């Protein structure tokens, strides 16, 4: 398997796995995302699109490298978000998930999720912190593998 093929599969695995984990935690365990959590998901959607385009369009290495850079972007947003959760710096003011729906009962029943509170941690690392670690390392590996030529 070539470095390009490995990088393409890694991009799909990292972004798909992290998005899958985010949706399992949201719908399976009730950990609703805040605004900054959503910001971390958007680059992963872009990374999946870039990785899929790399199967069809040339130059393939550029598309895969863009996927890797999108993954790193999500990681950097996750790092900022983790810093807000740990109290290292202030986040965006008024950062919370907005209620959806038009019915007053829907709006009043919607959970208010704050960006500066980690809803779950493992070994002191929040979900945003794990996204930072996995995305930065995984995205850098995708870019490195895409650039590698024998």
């Amino acid at each position: 398997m070539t470095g390009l093929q490995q990088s393409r599969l890694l991009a799909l695995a990292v972004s798909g796995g992290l998005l899958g984990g985010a949706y399992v935690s949201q719908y399976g365990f009730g950990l609703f995302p805040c605004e900054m959590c959503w910001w971390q998901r958007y680059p992963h959607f872009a990374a999946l699109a870039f990785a899929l385009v790399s199967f069809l369009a040339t130059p393939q290495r550029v598309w895969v490298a863009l996927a890797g850079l999108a993954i790193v972007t999500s990681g950097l947003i996750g790092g900022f978000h983790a810093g807000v959760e740990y109290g290292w710096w202030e986040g965006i003011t008024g950062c919370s998930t907005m209620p959806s729906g038009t019915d007053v009962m829907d709006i009043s029943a919607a959970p208010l999720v704050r960006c500066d509170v980690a809803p779950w941690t493992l070994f002191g690392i929040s979900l945003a912190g794990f996204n930072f670690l996995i995305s930065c390392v995984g995205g850098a590996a995708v870019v490195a593998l895409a650039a590698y030529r024998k």
Side-chain angles (χ1 to χ4, degrees):
M1 185 179 293
T2 67
L4 177 63
Q5 293 168 328
Q6 291 173 337
S7 66
R8 184 184 297 142
L9 293 176
L10 183 60
L12 291 170
V14 170
S15 285
L18 288 172
L19 283 171
Y23 283 109
V24 166
S25 68
Q26 179 180 347
Y27 293 109
F29 299 106
L31 298 175
F32 295 100
C34 70
E35 188 67 25
M36 283 199 279
C37 293
W38 280 107
W39 297 349
Q40 294 170 69
R41 293 181 189 190
Y42 300 138
H44 283 300
F45 291 127
L48 288 175
F50 288 140
L52 291 173
V53 167
S54 76
F55 282 99
L56 306 171
T58 57
Q60 294 176 332
R61 290 185 191 283
V62 171
W63 289 106
V64 175
L66 287 172
L69 292 174
I71 294 168
V72 170
T73 300
S74 176
L76 295 175
I77 296 168
F80 176 75
H81 187 190
V84 171
E85 290 174 335
Y86 301 142
W88 296 343
W89 47 73
E90 283 191 35
I92 310 302
T93 58
C95 181
S96 62
T97 299
M98 299 303 294
S100 61
T102 56
D103 188 300
V104 174
M105 295 305 286
D106 288 342
I107 293 171
S108 63
L112 179 64
V113 183
R114 295 174 42 124
C115 292
D116 60 349
V117 176
W120 181 87
T121 61
L122 179 64
F123 307 119
I125 302 173
S126 67
L127 290 172
F130 277 111
N131 183 49
F132 168 74
L133 295 171
I134 296 167
S135 293
C136 287
V137 171
V142 167
V143 171
L145 283 170
Y148 177 73
R149 295 179 192 226
K150 282 192 174 181

